[in-house]
């Protein structure tokens, strides 16, 4: 029954984000038309012309931002389409960071993705993988003082996919405590993914690693 519920949630969310993007497209087109009309008009015939240009520029900027957000939400919805799929790890990290950006920003934490030197793909459950990564980000954000930073990257490994979440800044507690809490709360998800969490300590970059299955050919 849960698979059916997830499929329904993904289908409706994907459908609605398409409609949202269509709405933005109409607003953007209308804004562009108004800009063209203002450009053709004479300054004397329309004194507040420059102010209107600034307002239309703001509308254009926010609509484009909305399109990006709707696109990310659409990608997230499609991650529920199949319980097992081949995903590009780099794209997955970019999506998770985009989805978690606001939550981290409210805690004063910066998120960053470092691209891999080569393309890494994995056959896994995309939705559960995102859930685990988002949970790790949230827990690490709570464990850092404001002004901290979490850097995600997937260094190439011969026998496994390793996603490193490096932390920078003042910590409120030990990373091992964070790992233990996550391992307990995410136990079923980690088992389903064939994954585990580990802590990295100096001299290596401090952070938490998500270690999961063998890379699949891209």
């Amino acid at each position: 029954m849960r698979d059916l519920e997830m499929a329904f949630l993904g289908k409706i969310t994907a459908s609605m984000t398409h409609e949202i993007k269509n709405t933005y497209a109409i607003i953007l087109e209308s804004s562009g038309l108004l800009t063209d009309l203002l450009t053709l008009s004479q300054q004397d015939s329309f004194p507040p012309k420059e102010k209107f240009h600034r307002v239309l520029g703001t509308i254009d900027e926010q609509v484009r931002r909305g399109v990006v957000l709707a696109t990310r939400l659409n990608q997230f919805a499609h991650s529920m389409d199949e319980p097992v799929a081949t995903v590009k790890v780099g794209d997955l990290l970019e999506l998770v960071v985009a989805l978690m950006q606001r939550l981290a920003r409210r805690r004063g934490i910066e998120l960053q993705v470092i691209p891999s030197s080569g393309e890494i793909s994995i056959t896994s459950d995309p939705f559960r993988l995102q859930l685990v990564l988002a949970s790790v980000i949230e827990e690490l954000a709570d464990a850092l003082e404001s002004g901290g930073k979490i850097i995600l990257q997937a260094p190439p490994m011969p026998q496994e996919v390793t996603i490193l979440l490096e932390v920078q800044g003042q910590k409120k507690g030990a990373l091992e405590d964070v790992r233990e809490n996550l391992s307990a709360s995410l136990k079923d998800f980690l088992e389903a993914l064939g994954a585990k969490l580990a802590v990295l300590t100096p001299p290596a970059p401090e952070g938490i690693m998500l270690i999961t299955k063998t890379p699949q050919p891209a």
Side-chain angles (χ1 to χ4, degrees), residues 131-143 150 165 167 174-191 195-199 207-210:
L131 186 152
V132 168
L133 285 171
S135 298
V136 176
I137 289 173
E138 186 170 11
E139 199 77 18
L140 286 175
D142 284 339
I150 301 172
L165 296 94
V167 296
L175 289 180
E176 181 58 37
D177 293 337
V178 174
R179 186 202 65 80
E180 288 182 1
N181 290 338
L182 285 166
S183 294
S185 61
L186 299 173
K187 181 176 181 294
D188 292 341
F189 294 102
L190 291 170
E191 288 180 355
K196 62 181 179 180
L197 297 173
V199 172
I208 288 183
M209 292 188 299
L210 173 65

Side-chain angles (χ1 to χ4, degrees), residues 22-214:
N22 288 339
T23 302
Y24 280 138
I26 293 170
I27 296 172
L28 200 58
E29 183 179 342
S30 301
S31 174
L33 177 59
L34 287 174
T35 301
D36 291 341
L37 292 173
L38 282 172
T39 301
L40 293 172
S41 68
Q42 297 296 321
Q43 181 70 38
D44 293 341
S45 65
F46 193 67
K49 180 178 178 179
E50 291 305 318
K51 186 174 182 179
F52 268 71
H53 270 299
R54 288 197 299 271
V55 172
L56 287 170
T58 301
I59 292 172
D60 183 80
E61 179 184 336
Q62 290 303 310
V63 167
R64 292 183 189 279
R65 177 173 177 268
V67 169
V68 171
L69 294 173
T71 299
R72 291 300 193 185
L73 182 58
N74 183 263
Q75 292 171 334
F76 173 70
H78 281 299
S79 72
M80 306 177 203
D81 289 349
E82 299 291 340
V84 178
T86 299
V87 295
K88 295 178 181 178
V89 176
D91 292 345
L92 185 79
L93 297 186
E94 292 283 357
L95 177 56
V96 171
V97 164
L99 294 171
M100 298 297 292
Q101 198 71 256
R102 183 174 182 272
L103 183 148
R105 189 166 56 244
R106 290 180 63 187
R107 289 166 167 78
I109 304 299
E110 180 185 351
L111 300 181
Q112 180 187 352
V113 176
I114 296 180
S116 300
S117 57
E119 187 174 288
I120 301 173
S121 295
I122 184 173
T123 299
S124 185
D125 183 328
F127 179 76
R128 285 176 172 169
L129 200 51
Q130 289 175 96
L131 186 152
V132 168
L133 285 171
S135 298
V136 176
I137 289 173
E138 186 170 11
E139 199 77 18
L140 286 175
D142 284 339
L144 287 172
E145 298 286 354
S146 179
K149 187 174 184 179
I150 301 172
I151 304 171
L152 288 79
Q153 57 182 308
M157 303 289 284
Q159 301 297 324
E160 60 196 14
V161 170
T162 299
I163 298 171
L164 169 61
L165 296 94
E166 178 186 348
V167 296
Q168 296 180 355
Q170 186 66 37
K171 298 185 297 298
K172 299 176 183 176
L175 289 180
E176 181 58 37
D177 293 337
V178 174
R179 186 202 65 80
E180 288 182 1
N181 290 338
L182 285 166
S183 294
S185 61
L186 299 173
K187 181 176 181 294
D188 292 341
F189 294 102
L190 291 170
E191 288 180 355
L193 293 170
K196 62 181 179 180
L197 297 173
V199 172
L200 271 179
T201 56
E206 287 190 278
I208 288 183
M209 292 188 299
L210 173 65
I211 305 168
T212 185
K213 301 174 184 177
T214 304

